[in-house]
Amino acid sequence: MLEIVIAGGWLMLPILLCSIIAVAIIIERFVALRGQRVLPDGVLDQVRHWAQQRELDDKHIEQLRRSSPLGRVLAAALANRQRGREVIKDAVEDTGRHVVHELERFLNTLGTIAGITPLLGLLGTVIGMIKVFSAIVAHGVGDPGQLAGGISEALITTAAGLTVAIPTFFFYRYFRGLVRAYVVQMEQQAIDLLQAIEHRASISRPSPA
């Protein structure tokens, strides 16, 4: 393996660096985007329980905000529950944008690695082929075996670049899809909470005489 890396030339170094960064991001995102961390079970039920017990005070809302990304979105709605629907909706959307930004952290870097590693590999191959043809011009074809060996070494960087890019692109698309699925579920739970707030407000509102 080490011989192959050395044979690929100096462009193998940025490709290897990209592979290390990609693996680190993939592991970090697997931990950060666990379903139980982003959308813990029973959060909405807990909020309903607090509402029934008349315990929706600042302390519980702050506890909810710190609990999870879903908790932050629901806390934004609860903190503005005394205001109009549009204000609540704006607060939820504003908090949701911040939450999505955090959930997508490092994904642009992962997508960039998936895009540039094949180009680095191709550049390494082009440089290698230029060296091979320069040697042919200077010394003739010579031994066909050595010529084939030179071309083979020139292709190492392309193979290395694709080896890094293919799984990196796969995980980039996987995490983007996972974040979109989380956003849909958070929006649904925020809508359910908003409807519950409106229903509760309509009940507590005095009926016209």
Side-chain angles (χ1 to χ4, degrees):
M1 178 63 75
L2 182 60
E3 294 177 354
I4 295 176
V5 172
I6 294 173
W10 65 271
L11 274 170
M12 288 294 289
L13 293 177
I15 294 174
L16 284 175
L17 181 62
C18 286
S19 70
I20 294 171
I21 295 173
V23 170
I25 292 175
I26 289 168
I27 293 173
E28 191 274 342
R29 286 293 86 189
F30 263 121
V31 175
L33 296 179
R34 283 179 293 121
Q36 194 57 32
R37 180 184 177 277
V38 179
L39 300 170
D41 296 331
V43 174
L44 200 54
D45 292 337
Q46 180 66 59
V47 173
R48 287 173 177 150
H49 175 73
W50 287 340
Q52 291 172 355
Q53 300 299 319
R54 299 185 181 279
E55 295 176 344
L56 276 177
D57 50 21
D58 293 342
K59 178 183 175 182
H60 282 105
I61 293 176
E62 184 61 25
Q63 177 184 338
L64 178 66
R65 179 180 290 110
R66 294 176 180 276
S67 64
S68 65
L70 173 61
R72 286 182 59 188
V73 174
L74 299 183
L78 292 173
N80 295 278
R81 65 187 183 281
Q82 304 298 341
R83 302 180 182 178
R85 178 187 175 90
E86 288 304 316
V87 175
I88 298 175
K89 185 179 176 184
D90 290 343
V92 168
E93 289 178 350
D94 185 56
T95 304
R97 282 193 291 271
H98 287 86
V99 169
V100 170
H101 180 72
E102 290 182 5
L103 294 178
E104 290 184 339
R105 188 170 57 172
F106 301 133
L107 293 190
N108 281 338
T109 305
L110 205 60
T112 301
I113 290 174
I116 65 169
T117 45
L119 298 178
L120 288 171
L122 183 61
L123 177 61
T125 298
V126 170
I127 293 174
M129 294 299 289
I130 290 174
K131 291 179 179 177
V132 169
F133 285 114
S134 297
I136 292 175
V137 171
H139 309 290
V141 175
D143 185 358
Q146 290 184 349
L147 179 61
I151 295 173
S152 175
E153 289 181 1
L155 292 172
I156 288 175
T157 52
T158 294
L162 291 174
T163 302
V164 175
I166 292 171
T168 301
F169 184 71
F170 169 81
F171 283 109
Y172 168 74
R173 298 293 299 177
Y174 169 75
F175 289 131
R176 290 295 298 266
L178 191 61
V179 169
R180 288 197 192 98
Y182 284 153
V183 170
V184 170
Q185 294 182 55
M186 282 192 283
E187 286 177 349
Q188 184 59 53
Q189 297 207 30
I191 290 171
D192 291 345
L193 179 62
L194 186 58
Q195 291 175 341
I197 291 173
E198 290 178 336
H199 178 67
R200 189 177 182 83
S202 65
I203 292 176
S204 59
R205 190 178 303 127
S207 57

